[in-house]
Amino acid sequence: MAGKANGRKARNGRNGGGGTTMNDIARHAGVSPMTVSRALSDPSSVSEKMRRKVDAAVRQFGYLPNRIAGSLSSKRSNVVGLVVPSIRNSLYAAMIHAISDVARANGLHLMIANSGHRLEDEEALVSALLAQRVCGLVLHNTAHSKRLRELLARTDIPVIETGNLPAKPIDMVVSYSNFDAARAMTGHLGRLGYRRIGFVTLPLRDNDRSRERRRGYFAALKELGLPADPGLVLEAPGGFAEGADALVRLVQTHPDIDACFFAGDVLAVGALFECQRRGWAVPGRVAIASFDDLDLLRHTVPTVTTLRIPRQDIGRRSAELLVNRLRGASPQKVRIDVGFEIVQREST
Amino acid sequence: MAGKANGRKARNGRNGGGGTTMNDIARHAGVSPMTVSRALSDPSSVSEKMRRKVDAAVRQFGYLPNRIAGSLSSKRSNVVGLVVPSIRNSLYAAMIHAISDVARANGLHLMIANSGHRLEDEEALVSALLAQRVCGLVLHNTAHSKRLRELLARTDIPVIETGNLPAKPIDMVVSYSNFDAARAMTGHLGRLGYRRIGFVTLPLRDNDRSRERRRGYFAALKELGLPADPGLVLEAPGGFAEGADALVRLVQTHPDIDACFFAGDVLAVGALFECQRRGWAVPGRVAIASFDDLDLLRHTVPTVTTLRIPRQDIGRRSAELLVNRLRGASPQKVRIDVGFEIVQREST
DNA sequence: CCGTTCTGTGGTATCGCTACCAACCTATAG
DNA sequence: CTATAGGTTGGTAGCGATACCACAGAACGG
């Protein structure tokens, strides 16, 4: 004996499967390990009789196949890697949720990492995910470090970028255009008759999405024939208080401001609450527009005009593209623009 | 040649590491594979000279070690499994974020799954995670299916339950008491002088947390010497509209209601907005209290009295417990009550 | 100067599963 | 009754790493 119980410690021995291996199941079912493998991964490829024997043994031992061994052997994994700038943000949460659903329906698992908006961290996390041999990647970011681009260029797993429509995608992209969206909303405000439109942006550093939005704002002003006043643009970290603060500063330095477009929904809501507090009529004193259709914006008083970005669609379609590619679809570059929609509400 | 390129298809061939294996690195560095393994996993165990040779070869090839093979061989994985009722909910997001940070600082990855509040799904997901040989589990739920309890009993990986303080924990628990929290808030409202306190609960089915909260509400009423009127209790799915609707119904059926305690923050905010819309003074007409300290509640007008649950602490401490156990801490049952705090604000 | 400890390195044997090929058995046709 | 095809089953050889043991040379004491 000792034949099996060799020297190595069985540290993780009874990992749920009771430490049982496929060989044990095979022995007890009186079939070969290969038959067990087949019975579990493709039941239709074995005879009814074999299947029953295997199933019985599996149930008896509560056997759970070791996917680590399976992945190593088959050189295929069933884990998708996902890197988002922040897990805490509900925008990403909606996307993650959709990806998770599609993934699960296709037998895939999700390994989620958050980069905290730091490109170096994104690079390190993707490396780690590749070391885990994920079968696909979704990155909510399109402005990568040089080394990450090189790393991804050498990979042959499918990669999906989202969050923006980049000029030079790595592989597949599913997103909307931050530029177009911000331009459209600014234009919308102009057409509603607002003339002094402020703009509050999220941090611009290492964030092409923020920069694109600001570019869109300026482009729209130009199209509207309105002067671009840099004093009407403020950069603020995301947060209710920061949004409130930004609006107050804009109103105080530019009393003629008649509308303000916030490039982040939390900023907008913070500003709205501040208006309630100060008794500033919205949109009477100042109109407020937001970015991203948080559920919340539909319920505040007044309700807030915003851009609806189909976050869930982005997640779903990203996952579907991944699944298709894993199923053998040819690796052609795909670029899906899911678009956006202006939702006109009471605040403008 | 062909020596390496044997019959098997290299489907996942160049997974980021260029398909390079440790053997390749060893050959090119002129050392044994074992030295490469050691140089990478514990550089101090290898001489300066060897380390440099290995590092050079690793950089030259952009080699990424295959953790799947590593895990299989070492019977150790560096992936933690996490099951939450809903990824979309920001409460869980705060906890996930904290877990993610601690995990990352300790070289661990996160596999996240959402059960959608369904116990059968939780069971299936945990099975799948165990099959992936996760090195630890965090479950945001304490009311498991019988089969899941059996499954987990046979496992020897650390398991953390959270979301409630169960009577019979599986392994380790990090949570607060939903009963105590709801009781404390209801008592608080009573001590503020409110006499007709409504209660709006989230769905009770398959959710021990909701049930505990309701139990706490009734316990507090008893202690306050107030009658328990079942008509003052409403069950509502989470959502702004649902909260608004619940409050309106309570006010219409019980005009003497003077306070309402919502067991979910979104419900409370929805109700608050409805009050703004209808011009009902808060707390003049009806006081509003909430559960869970969403950032939002600190900024609404009026600000909302609520229970602060240290979600981030829960995540951090859960992860720390896991890490300690993985580092060899003895498997003793741990039960951490992180407590809660009543945050009295303008709405009551 | 030799034996002993210590440190660093290499070889071998798996980890638990799946791909591939070969062998078998039952059908069906000639 | 034999030949060919089709559908199942089993054996073997890895997947790419690590654990363990053995061993070579350096460092040390008597």
Side-chain angles (χ1 to χ4, degrees):
Chain A
M1 31 200 62
K4 311 220 61 204
N6 58 53
R8 300 177 76 161
K9 258 189 292 185
R11 237 178 264 220
N12 235 355
R14 301 183 306 106
N15 246 344
T20 334
T21 73
M22 204 168 251
N23 268 304
D24 300 332
I25 299 300
R27 197 158 353 98
H28 285 269
V31 302
S32 85
M34 268 317 299
T35 302
V36 178
S37 174
R38 279 189 281 248
L40 292 176
S41 62
D42 178 14
S44 75
S45 68
V46 303
S47 67
E48 175 71 27
K49 205 172 79 181
M50 292 285 166
R51 206 182 315 149
R52 265 209 302 270
K53 285 203 238 178
V54 171
D55 286 353
V58 165
R59 262 197 304 277
Q60 182 189 339
F61 290 89
Y63 170 67
L64 277 178
N66 185 331
R67 293 231 160 281
I68 299 217
S71 296
L72 178 60
S73 180
S74 65
K75 293 165 170 292
R76 248 182 289 116
S77 99
N78 59 341
V79 179
V80 172
L82 175 56
V83 181
V84 292
S86 157
I87 295 182
R88 250 222 219 68
N89 195 313
S90 58
L91 302 184
Y92 307 123
M95 186 191 69
I96 296 174
H97 199 277
I99 294 181
S100 165
D101 284 351
V102 176
R104 194 183 166 205
N106 288 278
L108 297 172
H109 286 267
L110 239 49
M111 221 175 246
I112 303 181
N114 72 323
S115 67
H117 292 281
R118 290 175 297 272
L119 298 190
E120 328 85 79
D121 284 27
E122 183 188 40
E123 183 184 314
L125 290 166
V126 169
S127 291
L129 290 172
L130 289 176
Q132 300 282 352
R133 295 301 189 267
V134 293
C135 61
L137 273 175
V138 179
L139 307 179
H140 193 291
N141 178 32
T142 57
H144 317 287
S145 73
K146 185 153 161 286
R147 287 190 43 207
L148 179 54
R149 299 199 88 91
E150 289 165 9
L151 191 61
L152 291 175
R154 272 183 297 145
T155 306
D156 49 9
I157 62 171
V159 176
I160 299 205
E161 290 171 277
T162 184
N164 201 16
L165 289 171
K168 286 175 41 176
I170 295 174
D171 184 3
M172 297 182 276
V173 184
V174 180
S175 186
Y176 61 96
S177 161
N178 285 277
F179 173 80
D180 289 347
R183 186 175 62 161
M185 178 58 89
T186 310
H188 177 71
L189 293 174
R191 280 186 294 281
L192 287 176
Y194 299 104
R195 284 294 164 262
R196 291 289 278 167
I197 305 170
F199 182 69
V200 181
T201 168
L202 289 168
L204 298 160
R205 183 182 142 68
D206 278 356
N207 194 328
D208 56 336
R209 299 181 287 290
S210 289
R211 285 194 292 262
E212 286 287 290
R213 291 177 192 181
R214 187 178 54 173
R215 227 164 49 74
Y217 162 75
F218 282 121
L221 286 189
K222 196 166 190 179
E223 290 162 11
L224 290 167
L226 295 175
D229 181 349
L232 278 173
V233 176
L234 242 46
E235 185 175 342
F240 293 101
E242 288 74 11
D245 186 56
L247 181 68
V248 171
R249 268 161 54 205
L250 282 177
V251 167
Q252 287 175 346
T253 57
H254 298 72
D256 57 342
I257 190 172
D258 55 6
C260 191
F261 175 22
F262 293 84
D265 38 36
V266 174
L267 291 171
V269 175
L272 174 64
F273 290 157
E274 186 65 24
C275 290
Q276 293 181 351
R277 223 169 280 126
R278 295 182 177 244
W280 292 350
V282 176
R285 171 64 191 86
V286 61
I288 288 179
S290 179
F291 204 109
D292 254 304
D293 190 17
L294 263 200
D295 206 25
L296 177 60
L297 301 177
R298 213 192 338 258
H299 298 279
T300 50
V301 182
T303 55
V304 180
T305 293
T306 193
L307 281 160
R308 199 183 74 86
I309 310 293
R311 300 276 172 190
Q312 244 175 298
D313 285 4
I314 293 177
R316 185 178 48 76
R317 301 188 70 169
S318 298
E320 286 171 355
L321 279 176
L322 263 187
V323 168
N324 285 340
R325 185 71 77 76
L326 293 174
R327 291 247 174 89
S330 62
Q332 51 189 314
K333 299 221 170 190
V334 178
R335 179 189 154 109
I336 295 182
D337 186 344
V338 295
F340 56 84
E341 193 186 326
I342 287 179
V343 185
Q344 164 63 25
R345 297 209 183 97
E346 300 163 357
S347 70
T348 57
Chain B
M1 31 208 58
K4 311 220 60 207
N6 59 53
R8 298 176 78 160
K9 257 189 292 182
R11 237 179 265 218
N12 234 354
R14 302 184 305 107
N15 246 344
T20 335
T21 73
M22 202 168 253
N23 270 304
D24 300 332
I25 299 300
R27 196 158 353 96
H28 285 268
V31 301
S32 85
M34 268 317 299
T35 301
V36 177
S37 175
R38 278 189 283 250
L40 293 175
S41 63
D42 178 14
S44 75
S45 69
V46 129
S47 70
E48 175 71 28
K49 206 173 77 181
M50 291 286 166
R51 205 182 316 148
R52 266 209 301 271
K53 284 204 241 180
V54 171
D55 286 354
V58 165
R59 263 197 303 278
Q60 183 189 337
F61 290 90
Y63 169 67
L64 277 179
N66 185 331
R67 294 230 159 280
I68 298 212
S71 297
L72 177 61
S73 181
S74 66
K75 294 166 171 293
R76 246 181 291 116
S77 99
N78 59 343
V79 179
V80 172
L82 175 54
V83 182
V84 292
S86 157
I87 295 182
R88 251 223 218 67
N89 194 313
S90 57
L91 303 183
Y92 307 123
M95 186 191 69
I96 296 174
H97 200 276
I99 294 181
S100 165
D101 284 351
V102 177
R104 193 181 167 206
N106 288 278
L108 297 172
H109 286 266
L110 239 50
M111 221 175 245
I112 303 183
N114 73 325
S115 67
H117 292 279
R118 289 175 297 273
L119 299 190
E120 328 83 79
D121 284 26
E122 183 188 39
E123 184 184 313
L125 290 166
V126 169
S127 291
L129 290 172
L130 289 175
Q132 300 282 350
R133 294 304 187 265
V134 293
C135 61
L137 272 175
V138 179
L139 307 179
H140 194 291
N141 178 33
T142 56
H144 318 286
S145 73
K146 183 153 162 288
R147 286 191 44 206
L148 178 54
R149 299 198 88 91
E150 290 165 7
L151 191 61
L152 291 175
R154 272 183 297 146
T155 306
D156 48 10
I157 62 171
V159 177
I160 299 209
E161 290 171 277
T162 184
N164 201 17
L165 289 171
K168 287 177 35 177
I170 294 173
D171 184 2
M172 298 182 275
V173 183
V174 179
S175 186
Y176 61 97
S177 161
N178 286 278
F179 173 80
D180 290 347
R183 186 175 61 162
M185 177 57 89
T186 310
H188 176 72
L189 292 174
R191 281 185 294 282
L192 287 175
Y194 298 105
R195 284 294 164 262
R196 289 290 278 170
I197 305 170
F199 182 69
V200 181
T201 169
L202 290 167
L204 299 160
R205 184 181 141 68
D206 278 355
N207 193 330
D208 55 337
R209 300 180 288 289
S210 288
R211 284 193 294 260
E212 286 288 290
R213 292 178 190 180
R214 187 177 54 172
R215 227 164 49 75
Y217 162 76
F218 281 121
L221 286 188
K222 196 165 189 178
E223 290 162 12
L224 290 167
L226 295 177
D229 180 349
L232 279 172
V233 176
L234 241 47
E235 185 175 341
F240 293 100
E242 287 75 10
D245 185 55
L247 181 68
V248 171
R249 266 161 54 207
L250 282 176
V251 167
Q252 288 175 345
T253 56
H254 298 73
D256 57 342
I257 190 172
D258 54 6
C260 190
F261 176 22
F262 293 84
D265 38 35
V266 174
L267 291 172
V269 174
L272 174 65
F273 289 157
E274 185 66 24
C275 290
Q276 294 181 351
R277 222 168 282 126
R278 295 183 178 242
W280 292 350
V282 176
R285 171 64 191 87
V286 62
I288 287 180
S290 179
F291 204 109
D292 256 304
D293 190 15
L294 260 199
D295 207 24
L296 176 61
L297 301 177
R298 213 191 341 258
H299 298 278
T300 49
V301 184
T303 54
V304 179
T305 294
T306 191
L307 280 161
R308 198 185 75 83
I309 310 293
R311 300 276 172 191
Q312 244 176 298
D313 285 5
I314 292 177
R316 185 178 48 76
R317 301 189 70 170
S318 298
E320 285 169 357
L321 278 177
L322 262 187
V323 168
N324 286 340
R325 186 70 76 75
L326 293 174
R327 292 247 174 89
S330 63
Q332 50 189 314
K333 299 222 169 188
V334 178
R335 180 190 153 109
I336 294 182
D337 185 345
V338 294
F340 55 84
E341 193 185 326
I342 287 179
V343 186
Q344 164 62 26
R345 297 207 182 99
E346 300 163 358
S347 70
T348 57

